Amino acid sequence: MPVAGAAELLIRVSASGVNRPDVLQRTGNYPVPPGASDIPGLEVAGVIESGDAVAMSAAGLKVGDRVCALVAGGGYAQWCVAPVGQCLPVPDGLDDIAAASLPETFFTVWSNVFDRGRLQAGETLLVQGGTSGIGVTAIQMAKALGARVIATAGSDDKCAACLKLGADHAINYKTQDFVAAVAELTAGQGVNVVLDMVAGDYVAREIECLAEDGRLVIIAVQGGVKAGFNAGLVLRRRLTITGSTLRPRPVAFKAAIAASLRARVWPLLQSGSIQPVVHRVFPASEAALAHTLMESNQHIGKLVLSWA
Ligand SMILES: NC(=O)c1ccc[n+]([C@@H]2O[C@H](COP(=O)([O-])OP(=O)(O)OC[C@H]3O[C@@H](n4cnc5c(N)ncnc54)[C@H](OP(=O)(O)O)[C@@H]3O)[C@@H](O)[C@H]2O)c1
């Protein structure tokens, strides 16, 4: 049984979200940050069992409330400790399965697309991997906050799913060159922000896609860590290349993202403008099957484990 310390609370977990970083951790490619539980799982939803009363009260939370939480590990468990600042109330109308699918991608997309990438209403975002857990969140959040969205995906069915989620355009990167497609869709102007989860030889091509003062935000390196690109374009177009990983960042950093999400995005979940996309729910005892499905890349949106 994990024990909640100062500014933490203990959650009786009913659902745990599955994310690609869990697969990377399982295969030995994503070390657990110092101090974090080595049990996989970065997000949970459930009921507050106990915790630091002062910190909970300051956050407007109390024992018995339903919350979802971002955690640095330990999410695949019936009991999970989370920092109070990384917990958010379950939005009205959502069950715990839907709520457990939110934290990891919502925190990551907010931090990378809106904080680091500074995406503004009226600008255009290119989302690679539009049907990934990250992608379905990025498409909906960017659209709801007034941006135009172009998404890529690896099949026509996945492209159709991106359009259904609100993307203005979807590019099947297996049958189309996304650089040429973006040039055509933007009348040669390019996009303002690219959310990249591929890296490798994508970086050079993404730099070609960027408009003047464009921002490339790298959140994963599925295509490899080494990239060569035309540095002249970076100068001429005044481009910014950035990236980040959420998991090792301090609690205060994640709590600041939680506050932004609560103010700007939770009302959009509450109104239904943004909806959780849960592809499939597995009993927690079948976590291995959930990982197999994720590794097959057949899913659209999120996979969730249920402890019911
Ligand atoms: N930096 C961070 O803080 C952070 C946080 C969370 C997740 N991540 C990373 O973000 C990525 C998505 O995470 P997730 O949990 O949402 O995983 P996921 O649902 O398993 O998505 C992975 C996606 O990658 C896409 N993909 C693979 N190769 C591609 C390519 N060449 N071009 C375009 N898309 C490609 C796949 O789509 P297709 O079938 O269409 O190819 C699939 O949808 C993972 O790499 C994960 O490690 C980073």
Side-chain angles (χ1 to χ4, degrees), residues 179-271:
V179 179
V182 163
E184 194 182 322
L185 292 168
T186 61
Q189 294 299 300
V191 299
N192 306 98
V193 178
V194 177
L195 179 63
D196 176 34
M197 57 178 72
V198 180
D201 61 7
Y202 266 40
V203 174
R205 300 169 66 201
E206 289 165 338
I207 281 173
E208 283 185 54
C209 289
L210 282 168
E212 289 193 357
D213 296 303
R215 289 83 75 192
L216 168 59
V217 190
I218 301 171
I219 61 161
V221 291
Q222 297 183 87
V225 293
K226 294 251 168 80
F229 55 85
N230 181 347
L233 283 180
V234 178
L235 318 187
R236 287 203 297 280
R237 296 187 193 162
R238 301 175 301 279
L239 305 180
T240 302
I241 303 174
T242 182
S244 71
T245 55
L246 180 65
R247 191 177 187 184
R249 301 307 303 279
V251 170
F253 177 84
K254 294 171 183 172
I257 301 172
S260 297
L261 287 172
R262 195 163 178 173
R264 301 280 310 277
V265 179
W266 251 229
L268 300 169
L269 278 160
Q270 234 119 258
S271 69

